[in-house]
Amino acid sequence: MPYRAPISEYRFLFDHVVGFDAVTATDRFSEATPDMVDAILTEAGKMCEEVLAPLQRAGDQHPARLENGVVRTSPGFAEGHKAIAEGGWVAIAADPEHGGMGLPMTVTTAVNEMMSAACLAIQLNPLMTQGQIEALEHHASDEIKATYLPKLISGEWCGTMNLTEPQAGSDVGALRTKAEPNGDGSYSISGQKIYISWGDNDFTENVCHLVLARLPDGVDGTKGISLFMVPKYLPNDDGTPGKANDLRVVSLEHKMGLHGSPTAVMEYDGATGWLVGGEHDGMKCMFTMMNNARLGVGGQGIGVAEAAYQHALDYAMDRKQGRTPVEGGNTIVDHADVRRMLATMKADVFAARAIALSCAVAIDMAHATGDADWSARAALLTPIAKAFGTDTGIAVSDTGVQVHGGMGFIEETGAAQYCRDVRVTAIYEGTNGIQSMDLVARKMMDGGDAAFALLDEIEAFAEAAKSDLPDLAEPVWQAAETLRETVEWLVAQQDMTTRFAGAVPFLRGFARVLGGYFHLRAAVAEPGGARARLARFYILRLLAEHKSLFAQARAGSDDLYALSTDDLAA
């Protein structure tokens, strides 16, 4: 499938929408000059177009498979991973002390999105490694850092995260995997983990598993969980892979999509592991990796949305069908409903991308300045970026099938693969319902201060824009004010079930307002151009959804629980 990396879109967002100039103005990221960033994005885009995109169909048609205990990956995936590793794309944001580039997370987010658009199945491998790198940088001992980080950063080794068990999905605290001290500083890890993305492969020297397990004195629930590094091969003293550890891939899941990405059931039978972080601090350590992955997964959704949009647009520009109202128009792109679908796809991709990059900017500013307000902004935006990014990937890929008409339902066109591949992104790294619950609960423990600070910025910008673009600025200001009132109502609710009942529409409404704000910024930066016309479409059509979404958010839970289980089964 052809894919065109949207380099100019990233440049525009960096320069005019998400405030990337504040990141490069800090001492920590001063070397990320516009020329350097432009060169990085261009080279990454070229690699995605020429090396990764041709693997998209191969991964789907020739899935990873388990043969005699050995995982065999899809044709071309070894070469694809080699290109990612040798290009340094695994560790753009990693610490230079261990071989990383030390560049902003904002740049990593853009590169990850391009890789996801080109071939999501293979991009999931370096995404897991990136999260593991960050977890080790923050929590591992110096010895573990020295052994594992250089190899992970170079791409010679790759990383996974092992949380889920058959009886412990979102309720991680129910896990049964055990860790017994060996008396030499190592531990014996025993248990089974499921849904392990890229649990094994045939192209890296080692696979490094971060495994959640419970020590003998670990209490029940999440407070008794610890985190361990459990490699496929035990490292020798010189850092090379040594003897095989006592772990194995039991099976690979048969999945709806992402066939090129092996999702493993892992068995640990007295495997040797080493503690990462403190005893019983496993969830704290793993959340570092999970928060990194949540932004990355949001980017995966956006990347697939971009690819599905490009695929649908190419088809619509070529497919001839019926009369159109456009003089000289003879393809379906000129039919009103097809034009509506394509405009919705493009407008939502822009909104979701801007939200994700804005979240990345907040992460970079928090790292560069240590400012708690930036940390709060990053925390607030992370669940929105993850949920709205993946919801957008699902919606846009679904609409892409519709644009293709009957041909969209035929596998040979490739339109359906985007739907099948992206669907899981709304489930893993915490379902989008969990992201929404996190937003209305933990992220509102400050009484809404972080949300109000963001709304202050939105309303101030919209107020200033009223002089030039009153028909666009006024709806954005009004939507922000409605969101403010909804946040005020939300933080006043002490009953969490009342908050949770409307959490999903609240998050989506929040994302709609953010999308309107970012589209308005684009229109101000490029008045009268294509971006302003797209902003008009979004603000006058899609932003209007916020009213019904916030009405749902404030509906409470009584009507949900007035329905009995018998009513649901009737």
Side-chain angles (χ1 to χ4, degrees):
M1 298 179 189
Y3 165 69
R4 301 175 297 278
I7 306 299
S8 61
E9 194 76 352
Y10 299 124
R11 289 180 187 137
F12 179 82
L13 283 158
F14 284 7
D15 293 343
H16 301 291
V17 178
V18 299
F20 186 61
D21 57 330
V23 174
T24 58
T26 65
D27 290 340
R28 178 164 181 164
F29 297 118
S30 60
E31 294 184 3
T33 63
D35 286 346
M36 174 188 282
V37 172
D38 188 66
I40 288 171
L41 294 178
T42 300
E43 284 303 308
K46 182 179 178 181
M47 184 264 297
C48 291
E49 292 173 349
E50 297 178 359
V51 181
L52 300 189
L55 304 177
Q56 168 82 344
R57 292 298 281 161
D60 191 56
Q61 296 171 342
H62 304 283
R65 63 193 188 280
L66 185 64
E67 292 183 348
N68 300 319
V70 178
V71 171
R72 304 296 185 189
T73 56
S74 302
F77 272 41
E79 292 76 14
H81 185 271
K82 182 179 179 181
I84 294 169
E86 291 184 348
W89 307 121
V90 174
I92 301 172
D95 192 334
E97 179 182 352
H98 299 286
M101 295 188 190
L103 290 171
M105 179 58 68
T106 310
V107 178
T108 295
T109 300
V111 172
N112 281 347
E113 187 207 301
M114 287 190 284
M115 288 196 289
S116 301
C119 182
L120 180 59
I122 198 168
Q123 188 273 339
L124 188 53
N125 182 292
L127 180 68
M128 293 291 96
T129 302
Q130 289 169 5
Q132 187 171 113
I133 288 168
E134 184 164 0
L136 295 182
E137 285 180 343
H138 282 81
H139 304 291
S141 66
D142 289 342
E143 183 179 0
I144 289 178
K145 289 179 182 178
T147 300
Y148 291 90
L149 284 177
K151 297 291 189 179
L152 292 167
I153 286 171
S154 70
E156 295 170 82
W157 298 359
C158 67
T160 74
M161 55 194 301
N162 287 237
L163 293 81
T164 308
E165 299 180 8
Q167 78 295 337
S170 299
D171 182 12
V172 179
L175 67 81
R176 297 173 185 161
T177 299
K178 297 179 180 180
E180 300 279 350
N182 289 327
D184 60 358
S186 68
Y187 296 80
S188 178
I189 312 299
S190 299
Q192 187 178 89
K193 298 288 184 177
I194 63 173
Y195 303 153
I196 308 307
S197 298
W198 281 100
D200 198 14
N201 68 75
D202 54 4
F203 51 70
T204 60
E205 294 178 356
N206 208 349
V207 182
C208 307
H209 302 285
L210 279 182
V211 182
L212 287 178
R214 201 180 306 278
L215 289 165
D217 61 347
V219 299
D220 291 340
T222 57
K223 292 182 179 180
I225 297 173
S226 301
L227 182 65
F228 300 87
M229 169 60 76
V230 189
K232 177 181 179 181
Y233 297 108
L234 300 174
N236 294 318
D237 291 340
D238 62 0
T240 58
K243 71 173 186 177
N245 208 346
D246 294 312
L247 57 87
R248 68 187 181 98
V249 178
V250 175
S251 62
L252 298 183
E253 303 289 359
H254 297 280
K255 300 177 295 184
M256 174 180 175
L258 280 183
H259 296 151
S261 170
T263 301
V265 175
M266 300 295 303
E267 185 75 32
Y268 297 89
D269 187 13
T272 301
W274 290 268
L275 187 66
V276 175
E279 293 184 357
H280 318 310
D281 281 344
M283 287 306 297
K284 173 185 174 182
C285 300
M286 186 60 87
F287 263 111
T288 300
M289 185 173 185
M290 288 180 67
N291 280 328
N292 178 295
R294 283 172 175 169
L295 175 57
V297 170
Q300 288 182 331
I302 299 161
V304 174
E306 173 68 37
Y309 170 71
Q310 291 186 17
H311 202 66
L313 179 62
D314 286 351
Y315 182 82
M317 297 282 280
D318 184 66
R319 171 67 168 163
K320 297 179 180 180
Q321 185 81 22
R323 280 185 171 181
T324 75
V326 178
E327 185 176 350
N330 62 354
T331 62
I332 64 171
V333 73
D334 292 319
H335 287 296
D337 190 55
V338 174
R339 188 71 65 92
R340 176 195 62 81
M341 288 190 286
L342 291 168
T344 300
M345 294 164 81
K346 186 174 180 65
D348 267 348
V349 169
F350 180 91
R353 180 179 285 139
I355 292 169
L357 291 176
S358 183
C359 181
V361 164
I363 291 171
D364 288 330
M365 291 301 293
H367 288 166
T369 67
D371 189 328
D373 290 340
W374 281 114
S375 296
R377 174 73 57 89
L380 177 74
L381 290 177
T382 294
I384 303 174
K386 193 276 180 180
F388 188 68
T390 56
D391 282 347
T392 296
I394 293 167
V396 168
S397 60
D398 179 72
T399 304
V401 172
Q402 192 72 14
V403 170
H404 280 76
M407 292 303 295
F409 202 66
I410 305 301
E411 285 289 352
E412 283 76 5
T413 65
Q417 184 184 341
Y418 295 119
C419 289
R420 292 187 286 102
D421 284 355
V422 79
R423 185 60 186 86
V424 72
T425 61
I427 298 171
Y428 60 37
E429 306 308 331
T431 67
N432 287 357
I434 289 174
Q435 302 301 317
S436 302
M437 293 164 67
D438 176 52
L439 178 63
V440 302
R442 185 178 291 109
K443 301 305 163 56
M444 294 295 161
M445 289 176 65
D446 63 354
D449 287 350
F452 294 140
L454 180 54
L455 288 170
D456 289 343
E457 292 180 20
I458 295 172
E459 292 185 354
F461 185 86
E463 191 66 40
K466 286 180 182 179
S467 58
D468 296 321
L469 295 169
D471 56 335
L472 300 185
E474 180 62 26
V476 171
W477 190 95
Q478 291 291 347
E481 189 62 18
T482 304
L483 174 53
R484 183 186 297 275
E485 293 168 359
T486 305
V487 173
E488 291 171 348
W489 176 88
L490 190 73
V491 297
Q493 308 307 308
Q494 299 302 309
D495 177 26
M496 285 297 109
T497 301
T498 299
R499 295 193 190 190
F500 292 159
V504 167
F506 175 77
L507 183 148
R508 185 168 182 81
F510 206 134
R512 275 281 172 248
V513 175
L514 290 173
Y517 169 53
F518 292 129
H519 271 288
L520 179 61
R521 291 189 69 92
V524 169
E526 195 179 90
R531 298 181 194 282
R533 290 189 288 273
L534 187 67
R536 181 174 302 278
F537 173 87
Y538 182 96
I539 291 170
L540 299 185
R541 289 178 180 250
L542 304 185
L543 178 60
E545 294 177 2
H546 79 277
K547 295 180 181 178
S548 63
L549 290 167
F550 290 143
Q552 294 177 59
R554 298 173 67 167
S557 61
D558 289 349
D559 58 335
L560 292 180
Y561 290 95
L563 287 164
S564 68
T565 53
D566 289 341
D567 292 336
L568 295 174

